[in-house]
């Protein structure tokens, strides 16, 4: 009978040690409310860095190299693109658009 009481007390102690909720598990407050406010969902990302990246991308779009602008012009014109597959984009641009002179 004495061993049964000791084993029961030991089982209760093991159960208490395993099932104990520490204060650290309650720190995130997810225990009480697992969902966060929609406005606070992206608080960890500062908005100025995203805006800066978008601004830098817009600046890069505005300042393209002349070769890239010529290639885009050639890609938009199908015969020039076909010619570029055989001779390259620089030669194709010269062939289709190089002879044009504005007065």
């Amino acid at each position: 009978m004495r061993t049964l009481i000791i084993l029961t007390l030991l089982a209760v102690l093991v159960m208490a040690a395993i099932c104990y909720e520490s204060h650290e598990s309650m720190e995130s407050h997810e225990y009480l409310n697992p969902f966060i406010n929609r406005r606070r969902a992206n608080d960890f990302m500062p908005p100025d860095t995203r805006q800066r990246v978008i601004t830098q991308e817009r600046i890069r779009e505005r300042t393209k190299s002349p070769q890239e602008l010529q290639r885009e012009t050639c890609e938009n014109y199908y015969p020039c693109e076909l010619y570029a597959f055989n001779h390259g984009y620089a030669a194709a641009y010269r062939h289709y658009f190089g002879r044009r002179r504005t007065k």
Side-chain angles (χ1 to χ4, degrees):
M1 183 72 176
R2 187 180 234 175
T3 51
L4 184 61
I5 294 174
I6 292 174
L7 285 176
T8 306
L9 286 174
L10 186 61
V12 168
L13 287 174
V14 169
M15 189 92 139
I18 292 174
C19 297
Y20 174 70
E21 290 263 345
S22 67
H23 183 294
E24 294 166 351
S25 65
M26 303 282 286
E27 281 181 355
S28 64
H29 305 292
E30 292 176 358
Y31 180 73
L32 300 174
N33 189 8
F35 303 105
I36 59 174
N37 187 350
R38 186 183 308 166
R39 292 180 181 156
R40 294 191 55 221
N42 291 325
D43 279 351
F44 62 93
M45 292 180 65
D48 60 334
T49 58
R50 291 186 307 185
Q51 188 64 32
R52 191 175 341 140
V53 169
I54 291 170
T55 305
Q56 288 173 353
E57 181 65 28
R58 297 293 179 249
I59 290 171
R60 273 187 244 121
E61 285 177 1
R62 277 188 262 145
T63 57
K64 291 183 178 178
S65 67
Q67 292 83 12
E68 188 174 357
L69 292 173
Q70 289 176 358
R71 183 181 177 130
E72 287 179 359
T73 303
C74 192
E75 285 176 347
N76 291 335
Y77 186 55
Y78 186 69
C80 181
E81 188 175 14
L82 289 178
Y83 192 87
F85 286 139
N86 294 327
H87 303 286
Y89 280 101
Y93 184 83
R94 278 193 309 271
H95 180 75
Y96 283 99
F97 303 106
R99 288 181 253 156
R100 294 183 182 177
R101 300 280 185 219
T102 57
K103 293 182 182 181

